[in-house]
Amino acid sequence: MIALSECTGSFYFDDVKVTPLNQEDYNKLVEAENKKYEVKVVTDDTPLEILTLAGGDFENGLEPWRGNAITTSEEKKNGNFSLKLNSENSVWYGVDQIADIPADAKTMDVSAFVKTKDLKAGKNDWNKGVMIVEFTTDGTNKTSQDQPIFFVDDAKDWQQFTKTLEIPANSRKYRIMLALSEATGTLYVDDVQVKFNK
């Protein structure tokens, strides 16, 4: 079955093949796949890996951002690419990324460069191009109200937005959201950066 499963847009397929495998070849494939996800034994001496914000320059596409969008070379502040969010419909359209907060961090500086093209705000003041930070204990349970970094609808040239946020108590993770919040037109974003302060 090849399908769009209750979603809209285009999904292209090409050169679909079916290759029969004997049991030995199948076992080798399973073994190789399992090695990618080997279980690590965690002890008190094991350093914990901190998941940091990555891909804020969009030079390697959308990885590791989640959501529907594209990167483009038609507009960029630095490097060769920027994020492009474009919508003709007044809906929430964007990408996000979740990362960890260092245990000793008290505040965080968040910044990004932004440019718009033919962006029309929606019916509410906040229905524009937006960047929002969400703080949680575990990626789901919020520890405060969402914190806006910018609401923008008219930035014909690249503008940098910077904001220092206090990290709410019990926050262990944060989520960066970049979106058209029920606005139409085009929003470009480049050089998203996060810096923690003790």
Side-chain angles (χ1 to χ4, degrees):
M1 291 174 279
I2 298 175
L4 288 174
S5 177
E6 299 184 20
C7 58
T8 60
S10 301
F11 197 9
Y12 299 96
F13 288 84
D14 194 8
D15 201 19
V16 177
K17 296 179 181 178
V18 177
T19 305
L21 297 173
N22 59 35
Q23 189 64 46
E24 183 180 353
D25 290 338
Y26 174 75
N27 290 341
K28 288 179 181 178
L29 282 176
V30 171
E31 183 179 355
E33 194 67 20
N34 286 340
K35 284 184 178 179
K36 296 179 184 177
Y37 309 99
E38 286 186 281
V39 176
K40 297 180 181 178
V41 178
V42 178
T43 68
D44 290 340
D45 298 326
T46 304
L48 295 177
E49 295 181 8
I50 300 297
L51 184 63
T52 59
L53 187 82
D57 57 6
F58 302 102
E59 294 300 294
N60 295 313
L62 279 183
E63 187 177 347
W65 297 88
R66 309 180 303 178
N68 283 328
I70 62 171
T71 56
T72 181
S73 60
E74 65 192 30
E75 293 285 353
K76 61 266 188 184
K77 173 60 182 173
N78 294 303
N80 298 308
F81 296 94
S82 69
L83 172 71
K84 180 181 180 180
L85 296 168
N86 177 264
S87 180
E88 297 178 359
N89 302 311
S90 298
V91 296
W92 177 275
Y93 178 75
V95 298
D96 72 337
Q97 184 179 159
I98 296 174
D100 293 329
I101 299 171
D104 57 354
K106 299 293 188 292
T107 65
M108 62 187 287
D109 302 327
V110 185
S111 65
F113 283 93
V114 181
K115 186 174 183 178
T116 63
K117 181 180 178 182
D118 301 325
L119 200 154
K120 295 180 181 176
K123 60 182 179 179
N124 300 305
D125 289 341
W126 58 87
N127 293 146
K128 300 178 180 179
V130 302
M131 181 179 187
I132 298 171
V133 178
E134 174 191 75
F135 292 103
T136 64
T137 57
D138 55 5
T140 302
N141 296 300
K142 293 187 180 186
T143 55
S144 71
Q145 295 293 321
D146 292 348
Q147 303 293 314
I149 305 302
F150 63 71
F151 294 100
V152 62
D153 62 350
D154 187 18
K156 294 181 176 63
D157 295 313
W158 284 103
Q159 295 182 19
Q160 184 179 30
F161 290 85
T162 302
K163 198 168 186 178
T164 299
L165 304 176
E166 290 190 13
I167 298 172
N170 303 316
S171 299
R172 296 292 177 266
K173 294 182 180 290
Y174 68 97
R175 178 164 68 123
I176 298 286
M177 292 173 273
L178 302 165
L180 290 173
S181 174
E182 298 185 24
T184 59
T186 304
L187 174 72
Y188 300 99
V189 183
D190 204 358
D191 283 354
V192 177
Q193 296 186 26
V194 172
K195 177 188 174 186
F196 291 98
N197 309 299
K198 297 180 182 180

